[in-house]
Amino acid sequence: MTQAVISDLEIVEPEQDLEQEQLDGSMSLWNFLKTIAKYLVPYKWLVFLTLARILLESGFDSSMRVSIKLVIDQAIVPQNYDLLLLILGLLGVGVVIVAIVSLLGDYLITRFGVLLLNDIRQSLFDRVQTLSMEFFGRRSAGDVVNCFLADVEKVETSLFSGLAFAVLDLSNILFSAIFLFYLDWRLAIAASIGLAICTLLPSSVLKKATDAGFQLRQQEGQIASVVQENLVSQSVIKIFGLEQRLSNDFATRLTALQPVYTHARFLSCLVQRIPTLTFLLMQVFILGVGAVMTYHQWISVGTLVSFQTLLIGLNLNLLSFTYLLPLIIDGTAGMQRVCEVLEEIPHVQDAPDAMTLPTLSQEIQFETVRFNYAESRGGVEHLSLRIRKGDFAVFVGPSGAGKSTIINLLTRFYDPQAGRVLFDGVDVKQCSQRSLRSQIGLVSQDVILFNTSIRENIQMGCLDASDEQVETAAKAAEIHDFVVSLPQGYETKVGDRGGQLSGGQRQRIALARALVRNPAILILDEATSALDPITEAEILATLERISGDRTVIVVTHRIRQALHADTIFVMEKGHIVETGQHQELMHQNGLYAQLWRWSHANAQDRDRVICV
Ligand code: ATP
């Protein structure tokens, strides 16, 4: 069944000019930084201020450690009390300045975080609006929602709680290294070699950890989609007593997650652990060498103490840096999943020189169209048909015959693999999707209503519709009387997916939504299936009255709707097997006549064709 409702909502092109770089395996840290940099460009000043704050903090931190040498060698040992007071005073003032700057910096980072979160979510949302129905058939809603929430949050956390502090640590390490050389170059060279080993050792594990992090995020996305499916399927689960079965399935999925989780987290821990252990070894070595040098009076006591303090600080910075790595790895995996959605290429796209499709004036034509949803999946084959403007065309046929597929092609939810769909001789592929869909009002069997008022739901069909137009459409859809009988009338909220209304009421609101835009082509895809025969007859009579020169295309199993059709298309296994009007088709005594007799033979439900 056609799943979507066409509305006038703007189709927004994504603002981000994303590189279509192929992501083979997991995203590298470099690619992560490059991608995230695009989002930081509008906030250059915030980035600059954050970096300035980091430099100030780390510069002060290292200066404080090195000041120990001055305090010992220049003030305490030579008993220079004035210098001691001066150094302590300067340190005090420095602490106050750094504290104020840090607090302001924290505030900035918080604001910055939410701006970035919003930007990424907005670009994801905008991209999703441009994607074709093929994407929504392929990716589960829960997984995509997980991408919007958890993955984007991981990116934000990795940037502001991970990368920002990692830069602070690296800058501390840099300042400490400079001061180490200032104190004693020989010891500093030894420390630098140790530091290089500490940093290089985990890099081999880093790639594996990022890969594993991505796998973990993928599995978590699947779990989110299972939860989402479970939530929306509760009535089926309860009536068929599937609770235990689904709980077991969920437990199996969680069990399958365990090794992936353990692998990913253990690799993250290794990335953390390797440098800290190596650094500890290096520190013991440097202490030994430094102590021997001091013993031989090659360096002063102040230098040794200051050097060790700097080295301990450096160790702490390294420790903190490695603790931040798992956060960054998580963020990289999250960013990759976000990019997967952002880099999705819509299957149906407007041509660069797409023209505006003029309003239908003669006919819709399918010219030897072939379409399959996927290899070895259903669709239509060698399909040719004509629907004249103003015609009342009805498609009938067994379930799975391809009736809704025709609607999917007509509305360009999908493009044919061969052949053409023509409006007045113009291939719809040459026209903008918007200009095509603006002529169409669609009501499908799976009615989709938004969680807002009845009025707004109807207005979704035409955003500029006045209250009067909304009510006229509601009257035509035979729903007005019901709406005004509600305490809040048109302002009544319909609930999530219209859950606070009956199936028939939802269908009638969807019909009003399609009618309010006064479409040149009205498509009803099993749109009256949930209505009682009287309401259905009333709606069909109204449609006949208001149709005028409107083209009405109906897909139905209620074969009586075909009685007054200008053209009936009988479909079977992706082909049109019969075409004509009721009497002609009855004379042919083919599938249509069979369906008709079948429908009438059914005493319990005379209106419904049972399709096999
Ligand atoms: P019904 O009367 O039951 O709604 P239909 O005649 O409208 O059936 P279609 O919905 O057009 O049939 O489906 C035609 C074929 O295409 C079926 O075999 C169906 O399984 C397949 N199909 C429909 N939608 C998809 C999809 N999104 N992905 C893959 N296959 C699909």
Side-chain angles (χ1 to χ4, degrees), residues 1 3 137 373-374 377-379 397-406 408 414 445 525-526 555 557:
M1 272 295 150
Q3 294 163 0
Y373 288 96
R377 287 305 307 260
S399 191
K403 303 179 295 290
S404 299
T405 305
I406 296 217
N408 284 339
Y414 296 86
Q445 189 179 30
D525 186 353
E526 279 292 326
V555 170
H557 286 292

Side-chain angles (χ1 to χ4, degrees), residues 20-256:
Q20 294 299 319
E21 73 185 281
Q22 276 298 320
L23 299 163
D24 57 335
S26 70
M27 182 182 250
S28 67
L29 189 61
W30 175 240
N31 275 340
F32 171 61
L33 293 176
K34 264 192 342 191
T35 313
I36 204 76
K38 291 176 190 161
Y39 287 93
L40 298 182
V41 170
Y43 307 110
K44 296 191 263 309
W45 277 104
L46 282 175
V47 176
F48 176 75
L49 287 175
T50 308
L51 286 178
R53 168 233 167 148
I54 287 173
L55 280 181
L56 181 80
E57 268 184 56
S58 51
F60 179 75
D61 202 46
S62 306
S63 321
M64 216 167 91
R65 287 176 207 163
V66 103
S67 68
I68 297 172
K69 174 183 163 64
L70 282 181
V71 170
I72 296 176
D73 291 348
Q74 310 290 327
I76 297 177
V77 175
Q79 295 279 292
N80 187 341
Y81 196 63
D82 288 344
L83 184 64
L84 183 64
L85 285 184
L86 181 69
I87 297 171
L88 293 180
L90 285 175
L91 286 177
V93 173
V95 167
V96 173
I97 294 174
V98 167
I100 295 171
V101 170
S102 300
L103 285 175
L104 282 175
D106 286 345
Y107 176 73
L108 271 187
I109 265 197
T110 326
R111 265 185 66 85
F112 198 179
V114 73
L115 289 173
L116 187 90
L117 265 179
N118 284 352
D119 284 356
I120 299 181
R121 285 190 177 138
Q122 185 70 53
S123 49
L124 264 177
F125 197 84
D126 290 349
R127 172 54 74 180
V128 167
Q129 307 313 301
T130 66
L131 295 177
S132 316
M133 295 308 291
E134 178 273 340
F135 171 83
F136 301 101
R138 182 164 40 86
R139 288 284 297 258
S140 91
D143 191 25
V144 179
V145 169
N146 197 40
C147 191
F148 268 85
L149 301 178
D151 289 330
V152 175
E153 211 162 292
K154 295 262 180 218
V155 172
E156 191 264 348
T157 313
S158 82
L159 191 64
F160 295 108
S161 308
L163 261 181
F165 288 96
V167 172
L168 178 67
D169 287 328
L170 285 176
S171 138
N172 271 331
I173 291 170
L174 186 78
F175 273 110
S176 300
I178 294 170
F179 283 120
L180 286 179
F181 274 94
Y182 160 75
L183 290 172
D184 188 87
W185 65 271
R186 291 156 300 188
L187 276 181
I189 286 179
S192 304
I193 293 169
L195 199 66
I197 296 171
C198 296
T199 339
L200 291 178
L201 265 185
S203 59
S204 56
V205 190
L206 191 65
K207 172 84 175 80
K208 286 190 185 130
T210 326
D211 281 346
F214 178 64
Q215 297 304 334
L216 179 62
R217 298 293 316 134
Q218 293 285 66
Q219 287 242 4
E220 285 176 343
Q222 285 169 17
I223 288 194
S225 67
V226 171
V227 173
Q228 193 254 358
E229 188 180 64
N230 187 282
L231 294 181
V232 297
S233 317
Q234 276 301 313
S235 58
V236 179
I237 293 167
K238 288 191 167 45
I239 200 74
F240 290 110
L242 297 173
E243 294 88 346
Q244 191 54 50
R245 157 77 199 273
L246 292 182
S247 180
N248 292 346
D249 284 356
F250 193 63
T252 313
R253 281 183 182 272
L254 289 181
T255 312

Side-chain angles (χ1 to χ4, degrees), residues 174-376:
L174 186 78
F175 273 110
S176 300
I178 294 170
F179 283 120
L180 286 179
F181 274 94
Y182 160 75
L183 290 172
D184 188 87
W185 65 271
R186 291 156 300 188
L187 276 181
I189 286 179
S192 304
I193 293 169
L195 199 66
I197 296 171
C198 296
T199 339
L200 291 178
L201 265 185
S203 59
S204 56
V205 190
L206 191 65
K207 172 84 175 80
K208 286 190 185 130
T210 326
D211 281 346
F214 178 64
Q215 297 304 334
L216 179 62
R217 298 293 316 134
Q218 293 285 66
Q219 287 242 4
E220 285 176 343
Q222 285 169 17
I223 288 194
S225 67
V226 171
V227 173
Q228 193 254 358
E229 188 180 64
N230 187 282
L231 294 181
V232 297
S233 317
Q234 276 301 313
S235 58
V236 179
I237 293 167
K238 288 191 167 45
I239 200 74
F240 290 110
L242 297 173
E243 294 88 346
Q244 191 54 50
R245 157 77 199 273
L246 292 182
S247 180
N248 292 346
D249 284 356
F250 193 63
T252 313
R253 281 183 182 272
L254 289 181
T255 312
L257 182 74
Q258 279 172 23
V260 183
Y261 189 94
T262 316
H263 183 61
R265 288 283 172 251
F266 181 65
L267 284 175
S268 276
C269 289
L270 272 188
V271 173
Q272 250 175 26
R273 194 58 69 202
I274 295 172
T276 46
L277 290 178
T278 331
F279 196 88
L280 220 60
L281 270 175
M282 194 243 326
Q283 210 179 353
V284 171
F285 172 71
I286 298 288
L287 177 65
V289 176
V292 171
M293 287 172 83
T294 317
Y295 184 83
H296 290 293
Q297 296 190 344
W298 295 336
I299 56 173
S300 70
V301 178
T303 303
L304 177 68
V305 176
S306 221
F307 203 95
Q308 282 307 315
T309 319
L310 273 171
L311 216 55
I312 290 168
L314 208 138
N315 188 15
L316 287 177
N317 292 138
L318 201 76
L319 199 74
S320 139
F321 179 71
T322 55
Y323 270 91
L324 297 173
L325 281 176
L327 278 187
I328 299 171
I329 290 169
D330 265 2
T332 311
M335 191 77 226
Q336 183 173 4
R337 278 172 47 82
V338 168
C339 283
E340 276 185 355
V341 176
L342 288 176
E343 292 176 359
E344 275 284 345
I345 300 169
H347 274 216
V348 177
Q349 289 190 54
D350 283 349
D353 55 349
M355 58 182 269
T356 303
L357 183 69
T359 310
L360 182 72
S361 65
Q362 287 166 27
E363 62 173 15
I364 298 167
Q365 192 186 347
F366 276 53
E367 204 180 65
T368 47
V369 167
R370 176 170 59 78
F371 172 76
N372 293 96
Y373 288 96
E375 228 173 283
S376 74

